Amino acid sequence: MGSGKVYLVGSGPGDPDLLTVKALRLMQTADVVLYDRLVSQDILDLIPAGVSRIRVGKKSGHHCVPQQEINQLLINSARNNRRVVRLKGGDPYIFGRGSEEALALRKAAIEFEVVPGITSAAGCSAYAGIPLTHRGMSRSVQFLTGHLKENDPLDIDWTKLTDTESTLVFYMGLANLNVICQSLIDAGLAPATPAAAVQDATTGNQQRVISTLADLAAAVEQAQLQAPVMIIIGQVVSLAHELDWFSATIQQAEIDNRIDESAFA
């Protein structure tokens, strides 16, 4: 029995044009691809016919495949002398559990490489018109998870998150949005702090809600946003309307599609 290799590959936030050249090359030369739920269909469509695809994605409260089983699938595939791509949304090492899989591979003496991807926070903020840092507004960024395993309560020292010159980005925070916003206010962050929620970032289905910390949860509920949603809190959100470029791109694409369709009417 031979030994293949596993590539832990970040696929970015959803737009296939944001894939790295290396990620695309590995996807197109793989024997098998194990992919997460958040990997967009447009990206999956770039995998050649004949490549084995295994969906191992997780959804909050509904784990499709347990992590230990994913680890074993990677190990078994490599031991069968296969070139394995473990395709993850965003970046493998930022809330992607890539390091857990890497440790399991190391323990099993399986060769692996890690291919970084554009993390969802960076892609989401750029496409939403929100710079993560801006002179005079934000000099630091904090990435946090808004969801813990088994739906445990968030164990966060909220008092450390009240720096008005810092940007807060919460991954997987939709289900706990009320708790996040109220906890930050209780810890001393001003209720009027600009805040945003972005659904399906970087894709044609992107939606964003721009509000304040006090009103964000209600605004998101009214807009009926659905996961995946990224939460961004800080003064930089005040630039969202002025720096919004992607909404116009989507609108132009819709116009172009209508023009194309009319040509065949």
Side-chain angles (χ1 to χ4, degrees), residues 56-217:
V56 293
K58 305 179 187 69
K59 186 176 181 179
S60 178
H62 300 85
H63 284 197
C64 177
V65 181
Q67 186 61 53
Q68 286 188 334
E69 189 172 333
I70 295 173
N71 296 347
Q72 197 59 51
L73 280 169
L74 294 172
I75 292 167
N76 292 344
S77 296
R79 284 177 174 166
N80 285 328
N81 200 29
R82 307 184 82 184
R83 184 181 176 95
V84 184
V85 166
R86 174 68 173 101
L87 197 58
K88 293 175 167 292
D91 180 89
Y93 277 4
I94 300 182
F95 301 124
R97 304 189 73 172
S99 55
E100 297 176 41
E101 293 170 0
L103 286 170
L105 293 168
R106 178 66 74 198
K107 184 176 180 180
I110 300 295
E111 186 180 3
F112 68 89
E113 283 187 28
V114 180
V115 181
I118 294 176
T119 186
S120 298
C124 170
S125 61
Y127 277 56
I130 303 169
L132 291 178
T133 63
H134 186 82
R135 187 169 57 178
M137 287 187 178
S138 174
R139 58 185 179 182
S140 67
V141 184
Q142 299 187 64
F143 296 163
L144 305 107
T145 177
H147 172 80
L148 297 181
K149 65 179 182 179
E150 309 300 334
N151 293 316
D152 291 340
L154 292 178
D155 184 16
I156 296 174
D157 185 348
W158 300 100
T159 61
K160 293 183 178 179
L161 304 180
T162 57
D163 182 357
T164 58
E165 293 189 0
S166 181
T167 303
L168 306 177
V169 182
F170 285 88
Y171 290 65
M172 302 168 287
L174 182 61
N176 287 318
L177 185 55
N178 271 304
V179 172
I180 291 169
C181 293
Q182 191 58 53
S183 296
L184 288 169
I185 292 172
D186 291 344
L189 199 58
T193 301
V198 188
Q199 172 187 311
D200 292 324
T202 79
T203 75
N205 297 321
Q206 176 175 305
Q207 296 185 60
R208 65 175 197 168
V209 171
I210 309 298
S211 186
T212 64
L213 186 59
D215 297 331
L216 183 63

Side-chain angles (χ1 to χ4, degrees), residues 253-264:
E254 291 174 348
I255 292 172
D256 291 344
N257 287 337
R258 289 198 295 270
I259 292 173
D260 290 342
E261 291 170 1
S262 66
F264 296 95

Side-chain angles (χ1 to χ4, degrees), residues 215-249:
D215 297 331
L216 183 63
V220 166
E221 183 177 1
Q222 183 176 4
Q224 299 183 330
L225 297 191
Q226 302 292 322
V229 170
M230 188 74 68
I231 310 300
I232 306 173
I233 299 168
Q235 295 302 319
V236 289
V237 176
S238 65
L239 298 172
H241 295 297
E242 188 175 358
L243 299 183
D244 181 20
W245 60 272
F246 187 59
S247 296
T249 301

